[in-house]
Amino acid sequence: MTFSNLGLSPSLLATISDKGYTSPTPVQAKAIPTILKGRDVVAVAQTGTGKTAAFVLPIIQRLEEQRLNAQSNRGKRISALILVPTRELAKQVQSSVVAYAKKTSLTSMAMYGGTDIDEQKSQLIEGIDVLVATPGRLIDMLNQRAVYLDSVQTVVLDEADRMLDMGFSDDIYRIIDRLPQRRQSLLFTATMSKYVQSLSDELSHYDVNGAVHEVRIEPKTKTAKNIEQWLITVDKDTKSALLSHLIIASQWSQALIFVEKKHAAAKLVAQLAKRGIDADSIHGDRSQAQREQVLERFKRGQLKYLVATGVAARGIDIGQLERVVNYDLPFKAEDYIHRIGRTGRAGQSGEAISFVTLADFKNLIKLEGRLNHLIERRVIEGFEPRKPVPETVLNYVPKQKR
Ligand code: AMP
């Protein structure tokens, strides 16, 4: 499969080839031709599958075709709206729009909270074609009548499951209400739940057979295959020593390390520092500027070890990440999938290591049930847990939830 089979214009094909992409990823191959036809799409695809280009490329092509068509020379009004859960993702998606639209006259902006609202308003007045926004800030702008969505032709909900998890449900439904009835709707989600399904029902149009075009890239519980996943059973109080040992003994070049709570992030950075390991953290107590600065250093490779809470790390794109560590095992399968999706992107290989304490075991068994996959267990010499996992825990059968 090549990009030229998908119906993309020669100018976009040139941009893609400049980016160095040789062939489309599965979600791109499936979604691009359908989106180009103007149909609605629901795609179940994780981060790292190339999903951003799967919606950005056809949106740009359709808008540019209209632009070249004299009739739609009506000044710049928002023609495409992309809703994303976090500011990091807003910036990242908008930079993809800029990159893919570089040979066109289309303009875009990222709108998110924590930044100067007046500056964003003046950018809007100048007129933009593609708006990438987080739901909260967009609602503020709508309430202040600083933005109108009546010219939107295509709406994208990116990481819809995340947006719902983060409590944006009401905002999203309110935003949908402000959109024109006649529109193209695209929903991307890493996992499908009944809540995502209801949202999709609300959003999408149906063809004569009563179906939206559904693009499913991976079954909902499968994690990407090119990621080697394993876990280490360890006691809670030896976790930081184990992490230092792995970093030093295995000469890790870089790692993204997830912790559950923000105070744990700062503590771990201090514990690593004591062992001569230079790490930094992103979490809710750090300012946006600090988070951005740390992330930039990590992306450039100047910072080798980044400790992050799940919330702070949502939506960040760190390119070719080799390794993710669940220093604390997440509770939900969705979080596990999202976290390990930061590595092994777009066909590269990656490694995801989880630290599991005795207290985590029941959760682990539940998680594996949801993933339909057993994670390989390893014990590291010198860090063996003091007590074995009791039989009762090993034989634990979680209640079926859905
Ligand atoms: P996404 O799933 O949109 O976050 O994309 C994951 C990563 O894959 C990004 O860094 C993209 O630049 C990269 N990518 C997207 N499409 C392709 C492609 N067809 N070939 C190689 N890399 C790609």
Side-chain angles (χ1 to χ4, degrees), residues 17 43 67-68 129 192 228 237 249 303 319 342 352 354 357 394:
S17 128
R67 174 64 44 85
L68 298 174
D129 300 295
M192 189 48 94
E228 192 194 347
D237 56 359
L303 174 68
R342 307 280 163 218
S354 301
T357 65
L394 285 177

Side-chain angles (χ1 to χ4, degrees), residues 224-230 343 349-353 376 378:
K225 289 193 195 68
N226 56 341
I227 302 172
E228 192 194 347
Q229 301 169 54
W230 48 282
T343 178
S349 63
E351 186 175 38
I353 305 166
E376 185 194 329
R378 295 186 195 169

Side-chain angles (χ1 to χ4, degrees), residues 3 21 23-25 28 46-53 92 317 345-346:
F3 275 105
Y21 302 164
S23 53
T25 65
Q28 292 164 356
Q46 297 158 224
T47 311
T49 52
K51 66 181 171 62
T52 315
Q92 189 188 308
D317 180 20
R345 303 197 131 193

